[in-house]
Amino acid sequence: MNRRNFLRQAATAGAGAAAVLPLAAPALAQDRPAITWRLTSSFPKNLDIIFGAANEIADSVKNATDGQFTIQIFAAGEIVPGLQAADAVASGTVEMAHTCSYYYIGQDPAFALGTAIPFGLNARMTNAWFTAGGGNDLINEFLAPRGLYALPAGNSGTQMGGWFRKEINTLEDLQGLKMRIAGLAGQILQKVGVTPQQIAAGDVYPALEKGTIDATEFVGPYDDQKLGFQKVAKYYYYPAWWEGGPAMHAFFNLEKFNALPKSYQQILANACASANNNMLANYDARNAVALKQLVADGAILKPFSQEIMEACYKAAMETYAELSEKSPSFKTLYDSQLAFKKDAYLWAQVAEYSYDTFMMIQQRAGAL
């Protein structure tokens, strides 16, 4: 009897324990609180790959948290102008932005190194520097006093050198040429005779058509095709030596990011990493198709001459020496990238370049 009573009491206690298990739910809710953030993009909705990265991040975060953490996406201009996105994050107007670091070089030229500098890293090297070369830590040390934290969230790969109304063969052809280009690239081109112009994306086509400008750079074939530049400036130059592997970033308000549960921080980091990888894959897949169509529609592909490339490279090196003297942050980031780039190109030419060169020869010979 004592044994039966003991078993009966144990079973009753077990049933009671099972009955109170739902009391653990509030603790789970505290671990995964309901949060809504707003994200302002620097990009218009019609640039579906770049703008779409923000949507991808939001969808990933929502799915991974079962809808507990949602991010509302706003295109450039809906909350603040595109070039003020990071400022809106720093001030707390929004919690997050999807933008390019180099839009903010007016505050410090070091911002350029978060995206791309002329004759800088290509896309693969950019991702390697951020992930394994100390780049993430260096960028965020620079951003922290500004109340910002950032993670890579996209890369277009090497962009095109832009659309020109006339052929550009020599340095003389650059003298007085009015080109829509900003940032450090504009400063460097100014040293070789170009007159840089800052024009909003929506105004570039009419400016080219009317002759207000002689040339423009934008992104690459997939995005450029949508804007119809080949109709008003048929010479399509390559490469964009000023954007060998430009990174886009998710910028977070540092205080808001630090206040998130650790699980949400990791989910955000994973979502950004996925978007970063997918953007480059999308451009690699779609640019080739768009380029063939652009050529079929009359675009004339032209490489920048060696003379122009060498002159611009020299001007870039002079510019970096000047900026390193003015901005300690620029020097820190630039020196890190430069050291990384030297080793990266040493390795790239041994295996990657040799393999790619052979395969490109097969492609040109029609053997693929």
Side-chain angles (χ1 to χ4, degrees), residues 95-154:
E95 293 83 6
M96 185 176 172
H98 187 236
T99 186
C100 290
S101 179
Y102 67 1
Y103 291 157
Y104 313 100
I105 62 170
Q107 300 175 31
D108 192 306
F111 272 102
L113 290 142
T115 302
I117 60 171
F119 303 102
L121 306 172
N122 65 20
R124 183 165 168 177
M125 293 174 189
T126 296
N127 284 330
W129 179 71
F130 278 124
T131 303
N136 270 339
D137 291 338
L138 288 174
I139 286 291
N140 283 309
E141 286 174 12
F142 167 68
L143 293 175
R146 295 166 171 81
L148 294 168
Y149 180 75
L151 291 170

Side-chain angles (χ1 to χ4, degrees), residues 50 123 154-159 219 243 245-248 279-280 283-284 287:
I50 295 181
N155 198 303
S156 69
T158 303
Q159 296 187 4
V219 180
E243 289 181 301
M248 278 122 264
M279 183 185 292
L280 186 58
Y283 274 121
D284 282 347
N287 275 332

Side-chain angles (χ1 to χ4, degrees), residues 5-19:
N5 287 339
F6 174 78
L7 292 174
R8 187 182 301 112
Q9 291 170 1
T12 301

Side-chain angles (χ1 to χ4, degrees), residues 287-299:
N287 275 332
V289 176
L291 182 60
K292 288 190 288 187
Q293 187 60 55
L294 285 169
V295 172
D297 290 342

Side-chain angles (χ1 to χ4, degrees), residues 164-183:
F164 292 72
R165 289 163 56 89
K166 65 175 184 177
E167 286 192 69
I168 305 297
N169 297 314
T170 68
L171 286 173
E172 291 183 3
D173 295 329
L174 294 176
Q175 304 308 305
L177 183 136
K178 300 185 292 294
M179 183 175 182
R180 184 260 188 188
I181 190 167

Side-chain angles (χ1 to χ4, degrees), residues 8-240:
R8 187 182 301 112
Q9 291 170 1
T12 301
V20 300
L21 278 178
L23 293 177
L28 179 62
Q30 290 175 8
D31 290 339
R32 303 185 77 174
I35 294 176
T36 299
W37 273 13
R38 297 195 302 168
L39 180 155
T40 183
S41 175
S42 284
F43 313 108
K45 293 179 180 178
N46 65 329
L47 296 182
D48 58 309
I49 294 180
I50 295 181
F51 180 81
N55 287 323
E56 182 182 343
I57 291 168
D59 288 343
S60 296
V61 169
K62 181 179 179 180
N63 292 337
T65 62
D66 295 320
Q68 288 295 101
F69 187 2
T70 59
I71 301 171
Q72 300 172 345
I73 309 299
F74 297 87
E78 291 183 345
I79 295 180
V80 295
L83 301 186
Q84 296 176 22
D87 300 326
V89 175
S91 68
T93 301
V94 294
E95 293 83 6
M96 185 176 172
H98 187 236
T99 186
C100 290
S101 179
Y102 67 1
Y103 291 157
Y104 313 100
I105 62 170
Q107 300 175 31
D108 192 306
F111 272 102
L113 290 142
T115 302
I117 60 171
F119 303 102
L121 306 172
N122 65 20
R124 183 165 168 177
M125 293 174 189
T126 296
N127 284 330
W129 179 71
F130 278 124
T131 303
N136 270 339
D137 291 338
L138 288 174
I139 286 291
N140 283 309
E141 286 174 12
F142 167 68
L143 293 175
R146 295 166 171 81
L148 294 168
Y149 180 75
L151 291 170
N155 198 303
S156 69
T158 303
Q159 296 187 4
M160 290 293 285
W163 299 88
F164 292 72
R165 289 163 56 89
K166 65 175 184 177
E167 286 192 69
I168 305 297
N169 297 314
T170 68
L171 286 173
E172 291 183 3
D173 295 329
L174 294 176
Q175 304 308 305
L177 183 136
K178 300 185 292 294
M179 183 175 182
R180 184 260 188 188
I181 190 167
L184 293 185
Q187 295 178 29
I188 290 164
L189 279 170
Q190 195 167 21
K191 288 188 174 184
V192 296
V194 172
T195 303
Q197 307 284 315
Q198 296 192 43
I199 302 175
D203 298 326
V204 175
Y205 184 96
L208 267 177
E209 187 177 34
K210 295 174 183 177
T212 305
I213 58 175
D214 306 304
T216 185
E217 58 85 34
F218 202 66
V219 180
Y222 180 73
D223 288 334
D224 291 1
Q225 185 182 34
K226 296 179 180 180
L227 300 174
F229 291 139
Q230 75 279 7
K231 299 175 184 177
V232 290
K234 64 180 180 179
Y235 295 101
Y236 199 19
Y237 275 84
Y238 63 89

